[in-house]
Amino acid sequence: MEVKIVLGHTFGDEGKGVTVQWLCKKAIEEGKKPLVVRFSGGPQAAHTIFNRGTEHICSSFGSGVLLGVPTMYTEEVYMDPICLMNEFRTLQCKGVSPKLFRGVHRIITPYDVLAGRNNSKVISDGTCGKGIYPTFERYKHGQWTRVSFSLDKPEYILKCASNYHKIERIPEYDDMFKKACLEILTEVYSDKLSIKDYDVLIFEGTQGLLLDMDCGLYPNVTPSRVGLNGLRSSVLQNAEVYIVTRTYATRHGNGYEPKIPCPFDLSNKYETNVTNEFQGNFKTGALEVGLLNRAYERHCIDNYVRKYNMSLNLVITHMDVIDGEFKIAEGDAYLKGCRITNYEKCYSMIERHLCYRPDCVYYNDSVESNIKQLR
């Protein structure tokens, strides 16, 4: 069985979704059956994909969903049943009926969402308003029973969450949660799915490496292990790793700001990141290769590659966005280089400052999963 792992290089918004869909397409074209495995994060993911004119933002489902590829969660993933069912209905309207492996997951309730949105520290550290951190805290403080991970007992889960956060029960929210749990059990889960039936496992990271709970830039991190540290050694052996970055720096939420802001025109580039009340503005800047190096070193990627005999690939997305001169932030000045039409020279500029040498380099534009090999 082949294993491929897709990771965001810095703070998210890199192009993990299109990379996962591209790997799914490749597997299908080779006559293989792919399965997308979500191993970190939860419904705060927002991976935009396109397939044959259909657009979708993957939040709770893996980014192979428009190709009919099912999704599997590991036990570390956060599931919000209400969010998942809303996305399920949206996909059905697009002619897709996604399937999810039955399993046990960290379950987000409406009371976790409310707790996070009313917590000043959560808001200060940075949040998507999805209740991830309150759910993490709740499970960390004693709710590690199999029942608390199962959708079969929604009343028990609601009681635990409301008691833990000291929030009075709201009948409307309870009904929505219980209905969503039942619908997942009857419409989304499939008991016929078996991991043995798949040839390619594609592990989809949900946040960037610098948001990792152990190796990210604290305190503006997510309560999840989003790098190779979030996977078991049996998965890592001989795996192919794809680290994804845009051709420019991005930031959404509190914390690190782009060193040299660049207001790119993204109006016709299928950009789905927008200003919202929890994360604020979507910020862009000149590419900071120093940040790429910092993420690589903090996560000890070189150790993993050697220990588990992995191949390491770099995917550079959104090549069509940066017009005029490609810019890399170095100190307080731009390093000005090539016209964007010369992709080889563009990567050569990055390579001069990169602390590692990937086995292969891939690139794409901001439309669909048209990823191609550069070298």
Side-chain angles (χ1 to χ4, degrees), residues 214-334:
D214 294 331
C215 306
L217 301 183
Y218 193 83
N220 310 112
V221 297
T222 188
S224 186
R225 293 181 176 89
V226 303
L228 299 177
N229 56 335
L231 293 166
R232 297 178 180 177
S233 57
S234 58
V235 168
L236 300 175
Q237 193 66 44
N238 300 318
E240 297 177 17
V241 179
Y242 295 81
I243 307 184
V244 189
T245 180
R246 292 198 190 195
T247 46
Y248 49 95
T250 64
R251 190 72 182 100
H252 212 170
N254 297 343
Y256 190 90
E257 297 284 333
K259 186 178 294 185
I260 303 177
C262 295
F264 296 107
D265 180 9
L266 304 176
S267 57
N268 296 313
K269 301 300 181 182
Y270 299 91
E271 181 58 66
T272 56
N273 286 289
V274 294
T275 299
N276 64 63
E277 63 177 306
F278 299 108
Q279 294 178 292
N281 295 323
F282 180 62
K283 293 152 281 192
T284 58
L287 183 66
E288 299 178 37
V289 182
L291 270 184
L292 306 186
N293 292 336
R294 193 171 182 184
Y296 182 88
E297 291 167 349
R298 289 175 75 95
H299 278 262
C300 301
I301 301 293
D302 52 347
N303 289 353
Y304 280 99
V305 169
R306 293 189 183 95
K307 182 175 181 179
Y308 296 105
N309 191 36
M310 304 168 120
S311 64
L312 181 64
N313 307 288
L314 177 66
V315 181
I316 306 172
T317 66
H318 295 73
M319 279 283 196
D320 59 326
V321 170
I322 50 175
D323 54 6
E325 296 250 333
F326 173 54
K327 299 177 177 68
I328 294 179
E330 182 74 8
D332 294 322
Y334 288 130

Side-chain angles (χ1 to χ4, degrees), residues 80-322:
D80 183 329
I82 297 173
C83 287
L84 188 144
M85 284 310 303
N86 287 340
E87 185 177 350
F88 180 81
R89 299 301 181 205
T90 298
L91 283 163
Q92 282 189 317
C93 291
K94 298 174 181 178
V96 180
S97 294
K99 290 299 179 184
L100 180 71
F101 271 63
R102 179 184 286 270
V104 291
H105 325 294
R106 301 182 186 187
I107 299 171
I108 301 170
T109 72
Y111 304 109
D112 298 304
V113 176
L114 288 174
R117 293 181 179 183
N118 292 311
N119 186 311
S120 58
K121 184 180 187 306
V122 170
I123 295 171
S124 174
D125 289 347
T127 179
C128 296
K130 298 290 187 178
I132 306 294
Y133 185 75
T135 307
F136 167 77
E137 285 288 296
R138 179 164 59 84
Y139 277 98
K140 185 176 75 173
H141 288 95
Q143 290 193 34
W144 289 92
T145 65
R146 192 166 185 86
V147 172
S148 70
F149 283 85
S150 174
L151 297 177
D152 297 282
K153 304 292 183 182
E155 173 60 30
Y156 174 80
I157 298 169
L158 288 167
K159 182 179 179 180
C160 288
S162 63
N163 287 345
Y164 178 80
H165 297 301
K166 297 180 174 58
I167 297 176
E168 186 176 346
R169 298 279 289 273
I170 302 172
E172 180 184 358
Y173 289 174
D174 287 2
D175 291 343
M176 291 172 59
F177 182 83
K178 291 177 181 179
K179 181 183 178 183
C181 289
L182 179 61
E183 289 174 334
I184 293 170
L185 291 169
T186 56
E187 298 184 52
V188 185
Y189 277 160
S190 176
D191 293 324
K192 296 181 180 179
L193 296 175
S194 171
I195 197 169
K196 296 178 181 178
D197 296 332
Y198 295 88
D199 309 301
V200 184
L201 299 185
I202 302 171
F203 288 81
E204 180 174 10
T206 47
Q207 283 78 44
L209 294 176
L210 291 178
L211 295 176
D212 183 86
M213 64 185 290
D214 294 331
C215 306
L217 301 183
Y218 193 83
N220 310 112
V221 297
T222 188
S224 186
R225 293 181 176 89
V226 303
L228 299 177
N229 56 335
L231 293 166
R232 297 178 180 177
S233 57
S234 58
V235 168
L236 300 175
Q237 193 66 44
N238 300 318
E240 297 177 17
V241 179
Y242 295 81
I243 307 184
V244 189
T245 180
R246 292 198 190 195
T247 46
Y248 49 95
T250 64
R251 190 72 182 100
H252 212 170
N254 297 343
Y256 190 90
E257 297 284 333
K259 186 178 294 185
I260 303 177
C262 295
F264 296 107
D265 180 9
L266 304 176
S267 57
N268 296 313
K269 301 300 181 182
Y270 299 91
E271 181 58 66
T272 56
N273 286 289
V274 294
T275 299
N276 64 63
E277 63 177 306
F278 299 108
Q279 294 178 292
N281 295 323
F282 180 62
K283 293 152 281 192
T284 58
L287 183 66
E288 299 178 37
V289 182
L291 270 184
L292 306 186
N293 292 336
R294 193 171 182 184
Y296 182 88
E297 291 167 349
R298 289 175 75 95
H299 278 262
C300 301
I301 301 293
D302 52 347
N303 289 353
Y304 280 99
V305 169
R306 293 189 183 95
K307 182 175 181 179
Y308 296 105
N309 191 36
M310 304 168 120
S311 64
L312 181 64
N313 307 288
L314 177 66
V315 181
I316 306 172
T317 66
H318 295 73
M319 279 283 196
D320 59 326
V321 170
I322 50 175

